[in-house]
Amino acid sequence: MLVGAALLAGLSLTADAAPRAGAVIGNQATATYVDQNGVPQTTTSNLVETLVAQVAGVDIEANQTQTSAPGATIYFPHTVTNTGNGNDTYTLTTVNNTGTFDFTNIVIYADANQDGVPDNFTPITVTPSLIPGGVYGIIVAVTVPGTATAGQTDNVTIRSTSVFNGTITDANTDTVTVTNNAVIAVTKAEDITSGPPGTAPVTITLTYTNTGNTAATVVSLTDALPTNMLYVPGSGRWSVTNPAPLTDAVGGDAAGIDYSVTGNTITAVIATVGPGQSGFIRFQVSISPTAPAGPLLNTAAISYVDGGGNTVPDNTNTVVFTVTPNVAVDLSDTGSTTDNDGANNDIITQGPVPQGSTLRFDNRVTNNGNGVDTFDITFANGTFPAGTSFQLLQADGQTPLTDSNGNGIPDTGPLNPGATISVFLRVTLPSGATGVGPFDVIKTATSVTDPTVSNTTTDRLTAIATSTVDLTNTSAGAGAPGAGIGPEAAPVTAVTVTPGGTATFSLFANNTSAVPDSYLIAASTDPTFATIALPPGWTVTFRNASNGVITNTPTILAGGNFAFTAQVTVPAGSAPIAAPGQSIYFRLASGTSGALDVKNDAVIVATVRELVITPNNTGQGFPGGTVLYTHTLTIGSNVAETNAPLTTTNSTALWTSVIYYDANGNGQIDPTDPVITDIADIDALVPGAGLPPGSSYPILVQVFVPAGASPSSTNTTTVTVTPVAGEINVANNTANDVTTVVTGDIRLLKTQALDAACDGAADGAFVTTPLANAAPGACIVYRVVATNAGATPVTALVISDTTPALTTYTTCAGACAATATVGTVTAPVSGSTGQVVNTVGPLAAGGTATLTFTVQINQ
């Protein structure tokens, strides 16, 4: 592969280039409204994702014509470029076309450094695997028979075909004309083929040879250097007079050569090159310190008089110098006087603020590198009180920041060199926390191109206004497992997993104090927590009822509790650990009051059968209404499962619930979605005998709120799949849906459909599940439905959405402009990015408002 091809592929992309195969396009909508009490509210839709499909592409350059003496072998250099969006390999074939003579031999060789000379003399018929934008050099060598006569011609077609998609192909035709006169062949080479901006010196050598039968005269070599490649004065050398330097001035050199430099163009005119004579012109260049990342392509022009009175023009092979990325990023305050200084730990200060406030820290990310880059945004809560909630938002300050490259971390999407994008961190403080700070959260922007390059900013709160806690298993309250101050001498709960599996503990944080409080969550094998340590390779992840990763609880009211899970992942290959197992101590610690509790649980490593229902959910409902919760039933067993009852229980009298199988995965109850009471009901609807290991199935739990339910009251609906024989990790068999009774309740449901032709007509049903095989250039239709599920009207309802990274808003030439069933819509100009806003206004109880818009995947 061409040296630096991997870098070339990454650097040749622009911010709106076609996304790589497998990239994830994720999107959520938000809505703001004012409830009946005049309180502003915000709600967020579900996340929908689209996976980008691979499309093939190839380019082979370029058609060439050369002259040759009888019996000579001619080299035609070409480059094969992967113009698709995924890794691909290309077959190479040749056809000897009909001419006035026939080549006696046609062979393809590798030319990885693109110097116009084969790397070796091993024939090839296929390229290596090339990443998107990757370039590979080849040589087509043809041999002219000694019996060929002057004026005869022959040509060969070289074809490159995608292995991923055999219908994608490209071809060049190379032509040879036989002559008895001079034939000048020139190859061009660089001693360094890649480096950062400012690389110097790079030596360029033009090697010439007369393979003809007569002397060539007025042999002119002209090299117009590309932008950002600068000639080094006084560096010119000629093989005849080397090492004496050439003068750079017209007429100032030794007899036989005129070497001159005008601007950034080098010209060498050699008086005579005899038959079989070779030589070189050599000079040096430097790469501009401000050169952007990417390829610098350089081809020299040739002309000579062939001894028969003919002036013959030609070109050398093309050489590529790849300017490697100069990765740099700045993360700083929008209003800071030290913006874009690249220094770590700019401090952005707010405060003091009242307890329970919601803050928004405005930051901006600037790509200070020389190539397109994407920056992962992460944050670490250094000193904010436990229970503080953090959320990264896009530039509109409303839409959640999503992951555009599929690595699981929210990011900026591709940024051009010098481009800046705003990123917001929304911080919601616990209502009961007070104290003098500073309270800091450290936010980090990390380059995806070079993860060793990052920049940090500290978001600081100077001060806020300022209880006991009990950590239990399975349930809340004084009688729950693990109740009381720990750590316990023996594990309270032991969970069995297979090596490589995850043990999930159902935990409850019980606020046993008289005031609201929130708590940091931690895990360690050390019950004193003097050190935070886990067995080698083990990890612990804490998740809330919505399956989101957390490091602290939200604010828990006095006497209340918070359900969450701890997921302990055991590395593959772990040795078995018998009962009582490996103790893992969980700790709750208040960052403001100092209240803490430690509980002893354990992991037993073994092979088990397992059924899993996720996630825990929270929602709102109005008296006499219904709430729909989505869950996933996963077969974690290592054998197919056929029977296990599915049940629901409700914590409050008169509440009822029903389980449905979401057959089409659209997140809604359709007439064809059956009520299920056992996994056998699902088994009867899907192909095969039993539900296979690792498979997952969407289920819906419909909860009916009693007509007399009191506002602000809550109910927990527990959906359970009955453990199968031998199943030990029963904690995963249940999920809790906590419903709070409200009088004004806006719910957002986001669905999507593919419109491959971008003709304004969805190709299938609108679904909440991921779309697969969406090719660059295809369109995605988004539909956001806001429903007032409450008993009273709301006012000032606004639905907001944003074009996700790797896409632009489109009107499909007028066929799919954004529309709304209620209110007005504002949207970006077609072909650009930005926010789509549906200003609804008031919405009556039971009313709905639908926003529909379309984006096109970059191509």
Side-chain angles (χ1 to χ4, degrees), residues 226-406:
T227 303
N228 292 311
M229 183 176 281
L230 309 174
Y231 178 74
V232 176
S235 64
R237 300 291 188 274
W238 183 33
S239 54
V240 175
T241 58
N242 188 51
L246 299 172
T247 63
D248 296 354
V250 175
D253 298 302
I257 190 169
D258 189 358
Y259 179 89
S260 62
V261 180
T262 303
N264 220 28
T265 299
I266 299 92
T267 303
V269 181
I270 304 167
T272 302
V273 179
Q277 183 178 356
S278 296
F280 65 79
I281 298 295
R282 182 173 292 154
F283 56 89
Q284 293 180 333
V285 298
S286 63
I287 307 303
S288 170
T290 60
L296 299 178
L297 308 180
N298 191 206
T299 306
I302 312 164
S303 70
Y304 59 93
V305 179
D306 67 358
N310 304 307
T311 299
V312 181
D314 202 354
N315 292 303
T316 69
N317 58 296
T318 299
V319 294
V320 180
F321 183 93
T322 301
V323 182
T324 54
N326 178 17
V327 179
V329 60
D330 182 75
L331 177 65
S332 52
D333 178 18
T334 302
S336 171
T337 58
T338 57
D339 267 358
N340 208 14
D341 59 2
N344 268 328
N345 212 26
D346 291 341
I347 298 177
I348 306 168
T349 302
Q350 294 190 39
V353 297
Q355 61 186 32
S357 297
T358 296
L359 315 175
R360 192 176 70 175
F361 290 96
D362 299 356
N363 304 116
R364 69 179 188 180
V365 182
T366 302
N367 181 1
N368 284 338
N370 65 344
V372 175
D373 206 346
T374 297
F375 301 96
D376 287 335
I377 308 298
T378 57
F379 56 85
N381 178 16
T383 57
F384 269 85
T388 302
S389 173
F390 303 95
Q391 187 175 30
L392 291 167
L393 305 173
Q394 297 185 37
D396 61 5
Q398 292 288 341
T399 308
L401 193 68
T402 58
D403 170 27
S404 71
N405 59 10

Side-chain angles (χ1 to χ4, degrees), residues 708-735:
S710 301
S712 299
S713 64
T714 63
N715 172 74
T716 299
T717 302
T718 300
V719 55
T720 301
V721 56
T722 303
V724 292
E727 184 171 1
I728 298 175
N729 190 12
V730 296
N732 284 342
N733 290 68
T734 62

Side-chain angles (χ1 to χ4, degrees), residues 147-173:
T147 56
T149 59
Q152 289 187 316
T153 63
D154 195 9
N155 60 74
V156 59
T157 297
I158 170 72
R159 183 172 297 278
S160 177
T161 302
S162 162
V163 171
F164 174 73
N165 182 349
T167 66
I168 303 301
T169 184
D170 194 24
N172 289 159
T173 298

Side-chain angles (χ1 to χ4, degrees), residues 132-212:
V135 181
Y136 188 68
I138 62 172
I139 296 288
V140 179
V142 297
T143 302
V144 178
T147 56
T149 59
Q152 289 187 316
T153 63
D154 195 9
N155 60 74
V156 59
T157 297
I158 170 72
R159 183 172 297 278
S160 177
T161 302
S162 162
V163 171
F164 174 73
N165 182 349
T167 66
I168 303 301
T169 184
D170 194 24
N172 289 159
T173 298
D174 298 328
T175 302
V176 173
T177 300
V178 178
T179 181
N180 290 325
N181 297 319
V183 178
I184 297 296
V186 182
T187 59
K188 183 170 186 175
E190 298 171 340
D191 67 333
I192 302 173
T193 57
S194 65
T199 297
V202 178
T203 300
I204 295 178
T205 301
L206 299 170
T207 301
Y208 58 86
T209 301
N210 185 351
T211 62

Side-chain angles (χ1 to χ4, degrees), residues 395-620:
D396 61 5
Q398 292 288 341
T399 308
L401 193 68
T402 58
D403 170 27
S404 71
N405 59 10
N407 68 353
I409 305 173
D411 59 60
T412 61
L415 285 183
N416 283 318
T420 297
I421 190 171
S422 292
V423 173
F424 296 88
L425 181 66
R426 184 161 59 198
V427 181
T428 303
L429 299 171
S431 60
T434 60
V436 176
F439 302 101
D440 292 340
V441 59
I442 299 175
K443 188 150 56 290
T444 302
T446 302
S447 163
V448 170
T449 299
D450 183 355
T452 66
V453 177
S454 62
N455 193 241
T456 62
T457 287
T458 296
D459 294 336
R460 174 170 291 177
L461 175 62
T462 58
I464 56 177
T466 197
S467 296
T468 59
V469 64
D470 192 16
L471 180 59
T472 60
N473 282 113
T474 309
S475 60
I485 300 299
E488 296 80 6
V492 176
T493 299
V495 178
T496 302
V497 294
T498 59
T502 298
T504 300
F505 294 87
S506 177
L507 303 173
F508 282 80
N510 301 274
N511 183 357
T512 54
S513 64
V515 295
D517 210 342
S518 58
Y519 311 93
L520 293 169
I521 312 169
S524 178
T525 55
D526 179 2
T528 69
F529 281 79
T531 59
I532 304 295
L534 295 171
W538 290 41
T539 61
V540 176
T541 302
F542 297 103
R543 295 186 180 273
N544 60 21
S546 299
N547 207 36
V549 176
I550 58 173
T551 57
N552 51 263
T553 72
T555 298
I556 304 173
L557 296 177
N561 61 78
F562 172 73
F564 64 100
T565 58
Q567 296 180 344
V568 182
T569 300
V570 177
S574 294
I577 300 177
Q582 170 65 57
S583 284
I584 301 293
Y585 296 91
F586 299 116
R587 184 185 68 177
L588 293 176
S590 168
T592 54
S593 67
L596 64 85
D597 187 26
V598 176
K599 189 170 63 63
N600 181 2
D601 282 338
V603 174
I604 298 172
V605 180
T607 301
V608 296
R609 297 170 68 190
E610 186 175 17
L611 301 176
V612 180
I613 291 184
T614 57
N616 296 324
N617 294 301
T618 59
Q620 297 174 330

